Amino acid sequence: MKTRTLLLCLLLFCSMAAQAQQYVPADAGSKVQFTIVNHLIFTSTVNGYFKGLKGNIRFDPKDPGAAVIDATVDVKTISTGIGKRDRDLMEEKYFNADKYPVMRILSTNIKATDKPSGYQLTAALTIKGITHTIAFPFTAVLSGNMLQLNGQFTINRKDFQVGPDNAIDDKLTVILSVQAKKS
């Protein structure tokens, strides 16, 4: 009887350990992009990205409610293809990169949707020390030791006090393509 109980406890422990896997985002294989419209002289779409992706992800497709996504990007890595604009964006009136060196997203709820590999993320997004709740759909695909997360959302830059009133749209779209490796 003791052997059977011990064996059941061991099997339960192993199955619990196998469920929620820990992953670490791979900055080199991931993309944290944004697009925003600029109406300065003529209307154009500005595309840019951030690097320095770090964090921890705990994910089990069978139990998304127990999943956790906690990730940051390095503000000083902003790149729009124009060096002067990138330097301006790091200044106090935009991202204030010296005072707020990272942007962070921390999940508060993850649930499955009716789409294959589809989930809905609710998270706290912090930019310039200001936190707002965001929600958006994403996909999560497991392949061997890798987890691929893809999603996009729109925010109002003024909600985070990024930039003055000017010819740049208030709304911007963030596109995420995150590769994470099992740790």
Side-chain angles (χ1 to χ4, degrees):
M1 185 68 149
K2 285 184 181 181
T3 305
R4 182 186 293 180
T5 303
L6 181 60
L7 182 59
L8 285 173
C9 288
L10 181 61
L11 287 172
L12 179 61
F13 175 75
C14 289
S15 71
M16 285 174 37
Q19 290 176 356
Q21 296 294 322
Q22 295 287 339
Y23 297 88
V24 176
D27 185 50
S30 298
K31 292 180 185 173
V32 178
Q33 298 177 283
F34 64 90
T35 62
I36 191 165
V37 176
N38 184 345
H39 301 280
L40 191 52
I41 296 171
F42 54 90
T43 300
S44 64
T45 300
V46 175
N47 296 296
Y49 63 89
F50 291 94
K51 289 291 190 182
L53 179 65
K54 295 180 181 175
N56 292 296
I57 299 169
R58 186 176 68 226
F59 188 77
D60 174 10
K62 295 177 186 163
D63 188 12
V68 175
I69 298 172
D70 185 2
T72 62
V73 292
D74 182 350
V75 174
K76 289 186 178 183
T77 66
I78 192 167
S79 178
T80 63
I82 299 175
K84 181 178 178 350
R85 177 172 47 205
D86 297 343
R87 288 187 296 279
D88 287 347
L89 289 171
M90 287 188 260
E91 295 297 321
E92 184 176 351
K93 67 182 173 183
Y94 286 97
F95 287 104
N96 199 357
D98 287 335
K99 186 172 182 181
Y100 304 104
V102 297
M103 289 185 280
R104 181 181 186 203
I105 189 167
L106 175 62
S107 64
T108 56
N109 185 31
I110 299 174
K111 61 183 179 182
T113 66
D114 59 353
K115 296 184 179 176
S117 303
Y119 301 89
Q120 180 73 20
L121 172 72
T122 303
L125 176 64
T126 303
I127 301 172
K128 285 184 75 173
I130 300 167
T131 303
H132 287 286
T133 299
I134 60 169
F136 62 94
F138 74 98
T139 59
V141 177
L142 292 167
S143 178
N145 288 332
M146 298 299 290
L147 173 65
Q148 178 69 45
L149 305 172
N150 295 310
Q152 74 176 40
F153 58 93
T154 300
I155 60 171
N156 186 322
R157 67 183 175 89
K158 296 226 178 136
D159 290 344
F160 298 93
Q161 298 177 6
V162 175
D165 284 329
N166 56 17
I168 300 170
D169 276 359
D170 292 344
K171 295 198 177 196
L172 66 106
T173 300
V174 177
I175 303 113
L176 303 171
S177 177
V178 177
Q179 290 183 358
K181 187 173 183 176
K182 193 181 292 185
S183 61

